[in-house]
Amino acid sequence: MLLKQASGRYAAIDVETTGFSPGRGDRIVEVGSAILEGGRIVDEFHSLVNPGRGISFQAQQVNGITDEMLAGQPKPENVFPELHRFIRGTVLVAHNAGFDLSFLRHEFGRLGLACNHRHACTLELSRLRYPRLRDHKLETVFRHVAGTTACVQQHRALADARMVAAI
């Protein structure tokens, strides 16, 4: 475990996106979160999101989400207020937190919602705690911390949030 478990609630969180920069108009297409209390997952949130714009080829290669998968999915204004309530009062934890938080802040900001949570980054923490790992990708850190060689699904929001929670 990278974070010393203090009293309180943590929200392991991950997002998948249409591209790599909210400043260039990219949006969240999937969000997953797992609430941790006492080191255990007590609740989960997951949703695909139809942002009303296409997913770049590069992002599709990473997350496997297509425009067709988003047809009929909820709009951002239906998903993000619910997510905002779900993570209220938590410390956010993400792998490469700067990326995920930049998108969350952008989406929340579009709806007039604040995102001023304290946060921790398991990527940064793993580089400090485990400097000799061959790399610090989410799956590598998860396997090291969890002590498993099992194949894990990556680059889908809830699966990644669960790995972050385990870390």
Side-chain angles (χ1 to χ4, degrees):
M1 176 181 287
L2 289 178
L3 290 174
K4 298 268 188 214
Q5 188 66 35
S7 62
R9 291 169 41 100
Y10 293 84
I13 194 158
D14 186 73
V15 301
E16 302 302 333
T17 63
T18 62
F20 306 105
S21 173
R24 290 193 202 123
D26 291 316
R27 305 285 301 275
I28 293 174
V29 294
E30 184 180 39
V31 61
S33 182
I35 299 292
L36 291 150
E37 290 181 358
R40 300 179 60 137
I41 294 175
V42 296
D43 202 359
E44 293 182 334
F45 178 94
H46 172 258
S47 184
L48 287 168
V49 183
N50 184 342
R53 67 161 292 167
I55 301 173
S56 72
F57 176 77
Q58 295 84 359
Q60 282 184 39
Q61 296 302 301
V62 172
N63 59 37
I65 298 171
T66 65
D67 294 333
E68 293 76 24
M69 291 170 66
L70 300 178
Q73 296 298 325
K75 302 283 185 204
E77 56 270 17
N78 299 105
V79 174
F80 295 113
E82 186 178 343
L83 176 64
H84 191 263
R85 285 186 294 277
F86 184 78
I87 63 173
R88 182 179 297 141
T90 66
V91 175
L92 299 181
V93 184
H95 200 75
N96 194 12
F99 178 86
D100 295 87
L101 293 179
S102 69
F103 275 93
L104 282 175
R105 288 181 181 125
H106 179 76
E107 295 289 357
F108 285 173
R110 291 171 61 90
L111 299 170
L113 303 170
C115 185
N116 51 11
H117 295 72
R118 291 184 346 190
H119 65 275
C121 178
T122 55
L123 174 60
E124 292 174 9
L125 291 169
S126 69
R127 287 177 175 156
L128 293 170
R129 180 81 167 103
Y130 309 114
R132 290 194 165 89
L133 285 181
R134 64 180 162 86
D135 62 55
H136 292 86
K137 294 177 182 175
L138 177 58
E139 182 178 7
T140 304
V141 177
F142 168 75
R143 285 182 174 177
H144 180 76
V145 171
T148 183
T149 58
C151 185
V152 292
Q153 179 186 19
Q154 271 192 286
H155 299 300
R156 291 303 303 265
L158 187 55
D160 286 0
R162 288 174 177 157
M163 282 192 281
V164 168
I167 293 169

